[in-house]
Amino acid sequence: GQQVMQIPQYQHVQEGEDFTTYCNSSTTLSNIQWYKQRPGGHPVFLIQLVKSGEVKKQKRLTFQFGEAKKNSSLHITATQTTDVGTYFCATSGTYKYIFGTGTRLKVLA
Amino acid sequence: NAGVTQTPKFQVLKTGQSMTLQCAQDMNHEYMSWYRQDPGMGLRLIHYSVGAGITDQGEVPNGYNVSRSTTEDFPLRLLSAAPSQTSVYFCASSYGGGAGYEQYFGPGTRLTVT
């Protein structure tokens, strides 16, 4: 079945450094969603990308969907301690959502 | 709106016991789903429902049953708990399943089976 691989699994950064997580698939994706889960919390929807090459920004967060629609990235500029958490990518078919394994981000003050 | 609610927040079961995890949403969403989250494995879909009376299996359905008698409620039943079912369980809902719809997650139930 369809799988999405996410790297890295963990990332520790100093506050103020940039951070990027990548989501890769061997098959073409119809869409990609990104979620954030704070420690001890539940996943919260951030954004959805559907078009080839699409780029969307939310303040310090930049989301990209690859030209071939097989990969996506989330980039955070100048991380802050509030960015701590696990970032998941997800894709959906007709009725099923498939989540990546997540990237856990730690920000050191 | 309360959004998606789940009860209980924590539960400890003995092997072989059964129980029901409750999930309710007040957003009139047609699509509801159950996930389990284990360390290093992300979220895996257990069962989902596209509307009252309609359910289907996800990626890891064995050992779990669901039913959907109303739009609001989507309970998850563990038939005979096993230690391998120790996990955090999240219920989610969305306006529709599939492409184009963000999922709203409940706060989760932490289940330990001894």
Side-chain angles (χ1 to χ4, degrees):
Chain A
Q2 192 167 51
Q3 286 187 324
V4 284
M5 305 302 295
Q6 209 172 333
I7 54 170
Q9 194 173 359
Y10 301 97
Q11 184 84 59
H12 294 180
V13 299
Q14 287 290 137
E15 190 174 20
E17 291 182 338
D18 292 355
F19 160 76
T20 305
T21 174
Y22 300 90
C23 189
N24 299 303
S25 170
S26 58
T27 59
T28 302
L29 304 172
S30 58
N31 61 80
I32 198 85
Q33 295 181 338
W34 286 93
Y35 292 79
K36 177 183 178 180
Q37 183 178 24
R38 294 183 187 275
H42 58 276
V44 174
F45 176 84
L46 293 176
I47 210 158
Q48 175 166 275
L49 307 171
V50 296
K51 297 178 186 174
S52 168
E54 189 170 12
V55 178
K56 288 188 177 179
K57 293 192 176 188
Q58 289 180 349
K59 296 182 180 177
R60 295 178 294 103
L61 277 61
T62 302
F63 305 84
Q64 288 190 305
F65 202 5
E67 293 289 343
K69 299 182 73 173
K70 289 186 176 182
N71 56 71
S72 179
S73 64
L74 158 59
H75 179 83
I76 302 178
T77 303
T79 54
Q80 299 175 358
T81 54
T82 52
D83 295 324
V84 163
T86 301
Y87 293 85
F88 292 98
C89 62
T91 189
S92 60
T94 306
Y95 290 117
K96 295 183 181 181
Y97 292 82
I98 297 168
F99 280 76
T101 49
T103 296
R104 184 181 294 179
L105 173 64
K106 264 195 168 178
V107 180
L108 308 170
Chain B
N1 282 358
V4 180
T5 57
Q6 290 184 239
T7 56
K9 283 189 167 52
F10 301 94
Q11 183 71 51
V12 179
L13 289 178
K14 293 188 188 305
T15 297
Q17 287 184 318
S18 62
M19 80 158 295
T20 299
L21 308 185
Q22 301 292 344
C23 174
Q25 52 91 11
D26 62 359
M27 296 174 281
N28 204 32
H29 285 167
E30 289 298 321
Y31 184 91
M32 296 185 75
S33 54
W34 276 102
Y35 294 88
R36 60 178 290 172
Q37 183 173 33
D38 303 295
M41 301 197 70
L43 292 139
R44 291 184 292 168
L45 181 64
I46 304 172
H47 285 286
Y48 66 94
S49 168
V50 299
I54 306 170
T55 64
D56 206 346
Q57 296 181 349
E59 182 186 352
V60 288
N62 292 342
Y64 308 94
N65 270 1
V66 292
S67 59
R68 183 98 179 267
S69 55
T70 67
T71 299
E72 294 78 20
D73 301 297
F74 190 43
L76 177 72
R77 279 183 290 280
L78 278 71
L79 309 172
S80 176
S84 60
Q85 294 179 304
T86 293
S87 188
V88 180
Y89 292 85
F90 288 102
C91 178
S93 74
S94 65
Y95 179 72
Y101 302 104
E102 68 176 272
Q103 291 196 94
Y104 294 81
F105 283 82
T109 295
R110 291 184 179 273
L111 175 69
T112 302
V113 183
T114 60

